[in-house]
Amino acid sequence: MAVKVAPSLLSADFSRLRDEVKRVEENGADWIHLDIMDGHFVPSITIGPVVVKSLRPHTEMFMDAHLMVSEPEKHIEEFAKAGVNLLTIQVEVVDHLDRALRKIKDLGLKAGVALNPATPASLLEYVWPLLDLVLVMSVNPGAGGQAFIPEVLPKISYCAEQIRIRGLPTEIEVDGGVNRETAHAIIKAGATVLVAGSAIFSAEDGMQLISEFKKI
Ligand code: DX5
Ligand code: ZN
């Protein structure tokens, strides 16, 4: 099955976000990936629920919010109200992972967990049935345009195996350094959703990548 492509808005022109969202939608993107950074879990600060809410009426795309924020539990309701479809929280900063995932699902959203490059996927052993998505970070979070960390490839395969064993529909999303050179190995390892920021928004022929990824 073709992978889903989720362009990361982080590399878009922030002075015209609505047009940038429309541009990737017209070029066949399945999801729009929203990188939410708080200046605490990661040094950068990006956008919050106010901006997400204002974009919601302008796209049919599935909104995939990646929370790179400390104490993510505090923000779940606000992002649900803003209209995101999937909320992914970083496992490194959740005190009560099971509770947080159930809260996201109780609000009618899909729930995801993100793992930093050094974080083992074995942490997910008892929550797999709650996960609609596992986000394998293939760069250290905080900025676009970084190089792919190949050591995460076995983690993608491990996740694929855990999902297969359990017969779950959980998606495996890979985020960071995804481009023409790295996509094949990522898909081969088991990714079902590719996030790409700089490769799509910063390259002249970046929009073509959306359909190219789907043909791999
Ligand atoms: C990094 C973000 C990514 C980022 C990816 O912290 O989570 O979504 O936008 O950017 P590229 O595709 O440029 O590596
Ligand atoms: Zn992201």
Side-chain angles (χ1 to χ4, degrees), residues 56-162:
R56 180 69 281 185
H58 300 289
T59 179
E60 301 279 309
M61 274 187 295
F62 183 94
M63 278 186 163
D64 157 24
H66 175 196
L67 261 57
M68 284 162 277
V69 306
S70 302
E71 300 186 275
E73 286 119 313
K74 285 188 179 169
H75 304 281
I76 293 171
E77 270 159 30
E78 230 186 324
F79 279 96
K81 280 191 203 139
V84 304
N85 301 92
L86 162 74
L87 203 53
T88 296
I89 54 180
Q90 292 274 160
V91 71
E92 300 83 3
V93 280
V94 194
D95 289 329
H96 303 283
L97 180 60
D98 180 278
R99 185 165 67 196
L101 292 171
R102 290 181 195 278
K103 185 170 175 184
I104 294 170
K105 293 173 85 80
D106 285 349
L107 288 165
L109 307 185
K110 304 261 190 211
V113 167
L115 305 168
N116 277 346
T119 304
S122 54
L123 284 179
L124 305 178
E125 181 166 1
Y126 301 107
V127 294
W128 280 113
L130 295 175
L131 294 179
D132 295 295
L133 176 140
V134 55
L135 196 180
V136 178
M137 286 303 295
S138 41
V139 296
N140 289 292
Q146 303 179 74
F148 181 77
I149 297 173
E151 285 79 5
V152 305
L153 287 169
K155 182 159 40 171
I156 300 169
S157 309
Y158 171 86
C159 289
E161 181 63 3
Q162 297 306 308

Side-chain angles (χ1 to χ4, degrees), residues 3-9 20-21 24-34 56 59-66 85-88 110-112 132-135 169-174 192-196 200-201 210 214:
V3 286
K4 294 185 181 71
V5 181
S8 160
L9 211 51
E20 294 283 73
V21 168
V24 290
E25 188 166 23
E26 283 163 11
N27 279 281
D30 302 278
W31 295 2
I32 184 76
H33 183 84
L34 305 166
R56 180 69 281 185
T59 179
E60 301 279 309
M61 274 187 295
F62 183 94
M63 278 186 163
D64 157 24
H66 175 196
N85 301 92
L86 162 74
L87 203 53
T88 296
K110 304 261 190 211
D132 295 295
L133 176 140
V134 55
L135 196 180
T170 312
E171 303 270 10
I172 303 177
E173 183 174 53
V174 177
T192 61
V193 186
L194 298 187
V195 175
I200 289 176
F201 284 105
I210 298 171
K214 285 160 173 278

Side-chain angles (χ1 to χ4, degrees), residues 44-61:
S44 297
I45 300 175
T46 56
I47 57 169
V50 175
V51 176
V52 174
K53 192 175 179 183
S54 70
L55 289 171
R56 180 69 281 185
H58 300 289
T59 179
E60 301 279 309
M61 274 187 295

